[in-house]
């Protein structure tokens, strides 16, 4: 019973924060699952199954998906999903140290960039995207998709950066796209892929799913009352903490901690 209570509050807390910032649930939820005794591969698959409910909770609160950019959605589906599958299959036999270190550095550099760009995420530039911009953004989407499949933490936040910097979205619209295309779609694909090659702790899933669904629902309700500048600051803070945690985790692998 105590485990189930811990799982619910872990799922709820992680996914409220994730729905407000566009990602990062794995930085809270995955370490708790590992601390509770699950091996990494099993914890990863269990986490991905649960996080799908984050996207469902967001959709349940926000039924309007009419402003989803169809071309961006198609790129995430037809280029991103295969990359997610590839990453999910490869992760079972790979070390995390290098990917954690690189993603941590990328995350912190992204925070510095977004802080230096005062208009980052505050202005929508979708209509100014060139053919070269579309191609570059599509390649970045595939790279983030691979990260989403192979590495549980940070991919949603990096996807926000691609949606803002590459596709020219404002921060609120980028978070909406991340909730649908990353939290729901990519994690569903990743959960199926990881589940095919690794075990999932199914008895822990219901409480995690309930917490994630209610967390996504709550966070989506709260975000409507927050100014874009406040959301940008929250996003930057969570990304900075995430980057520091990733580098710390990478160093702990190196030192045997």
């Amino acid at each position: 019973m105590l485990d189930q209570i811990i799982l619910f509050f872990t799922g709820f807390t992680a996914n409220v924060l994730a729905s407000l910032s566009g990602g990062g649930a794995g930085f809270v939820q995955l370490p708790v699952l590992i601390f509770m005794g699950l091996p990494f591969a099993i914890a990863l698959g269990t986490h991905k199954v649960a996080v799908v409910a984050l996207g469902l909770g967001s959709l349940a609160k926000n039924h309007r998906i009419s402003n989803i950019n169809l071309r961006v959605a198609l790129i995430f589906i037809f280029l991103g999903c295969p990359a997610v599958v590839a990453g999910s299959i490869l992760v079972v036999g790979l070390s995390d140290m290098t990917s954690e270190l690189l993603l941590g550095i990328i995350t912190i550099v992204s925070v510095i960039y977004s802080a230096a760009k005062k208009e980052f995420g505050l202005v929508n530039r979708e209509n100014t995207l060139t053919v070269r911009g579309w191609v570059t953004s599509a390649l970045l989407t595939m790279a983030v998709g691979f990260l989403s499949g192979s590495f549980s933490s940070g991919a949603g936040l990096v996807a926000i950066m691609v949606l803002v910097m590459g596709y020219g979205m404002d921060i609120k619209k980028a978070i909406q796209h991340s909730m649908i295309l990353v939290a729901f779609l990519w994690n569903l694909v990743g959960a199926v892929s990881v589940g095919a090659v690794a075990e999932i702790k199914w008895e822990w899933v219901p409480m995690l799913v309930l917490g994630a669904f209610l967390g996504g629902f709550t966070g989506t309700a709260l975000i409507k009352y927050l100014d874009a500048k406040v959301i940008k600051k929250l996003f930057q803070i969570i990304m900075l903490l995430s980057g520091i945690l990733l580098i710390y985790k990478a160093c702990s692998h190196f030192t045997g901690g």
Side-chain angles (χ1 to χ4, degrees):
M1 179 61 71
L2 180 59
D3 283 350
Q4 296 297 318
I5 293 173
I6 292 173
L7 291 169
F8 172 78
F9 281 104
T10 297
F12 181 80
T13 303
N15 289 286
V16 166
L17 292 173
S19 61
L20 287 174
S21 64
F27 290 111
V28 177
Q29 191 163 278
L30 185 69
V32 172
L33 295 179
I34 294 173
F35 179 76
M36 292 176 70
L38 293 187
F40 176 79
I42 298 176
L44 177 63
T46 306
H47 163 71
K48 285 187 175 296
V49 170
V51 173
V52 172
L54 167 62
L56 285 175
S58 179
L59 283 172
K61 182 60 183 174
N62 184 13
H63 298 290
R64 295 182 60 188
I65 59 172
S66 57
N67 69 332
I68 292 294
N69 188 312
L70 181 59
R71 282 188 288 183
V72 172
L74 291 175
I75 290 172
F76 271 71
I77 292 170
F78 291 108
L79 296 181
C81 285
V84 172
V85 173
S88 299
I89 293 173
L90 290 174
V91 69
V92 177
L94 294 179
S95 168
D96 302 317
M97 185 183 72
T98 301
S99 59
E100 287 171 350
L101 181 61
L102 289 175
L103 187 55
I105 294 172
I106 291 171
T107 301
I108 292 176
V109 170
S110 298
V111 173
I112 296 172
Y113 175 87
S114 68
K117 290 280 189 178
K118 293 185 178 180
E119 292 188 351
F120 173 87
L122 303 180
V123 179
N124 190 292
R125 300 178 291 101
E126 289 178 81
N127 294 330
T128 65
L129 204 59
T130 63
V131 173
R132 181 178 179 181
W134 279 106
V135 172
T136 302
S137 298
L139 293 174
L140 289 172
T141 300
M142 292 176 66
V144 179
F146 185 85
L147 276 176
S148 178
S150 62
F151 191 69
S152 62
S153 304
L157 297 174
V158 178
I160 295 289
M161 298 296 296
V162 173
L163 288 165
V164 173
M165 295 166 54
Y167 294 106
M169 295 182 184
D170 59 78
I171 192 76
K172 282 192 174 184
K173 191 169 184 179
I175 288 174
Q176 181 189 17
H177 279 67
S178 178
M179 287 297 96
I180 296 171
L181 299 174
V182 179
F184 176 66
L185 177 63
W186 279 6
N187 276 308
L188 177 61
V189 171
V192 173
S193 301
V194 173
V197 294
E199 181 184 348
I200 291 174
K201 188 79 169 179
W202 288 108
E203 58 266 38
W204 286 10
V205 167
M207 278 299 176
L208 285 172
V209 166
L210 180 61
F213 180 86
L214 293 177
F217 187 93
T218 302
T220 302
L222 292 174
I223 200 172
K224 295 180 179 180
Y225 302 99
L226 297 178
D227 181 75
K229 291 183 179 180
V230 174
I231 295 173
K232 176 182 175 179
K233 290 296 182 184
L234 176 64
F235 173 75
Q236 290 171 332
I237 290 170
I238 292 178
M239 280 203 72
L240 180 61
L241 293 175
S242 299
I244 293 171
L245 178 59
L246 279 165
I247 293 173
Y248 173 78
K249 287 174 65 180
C251 292
S252 70
H253 286 302
F254 180 76
T255 59

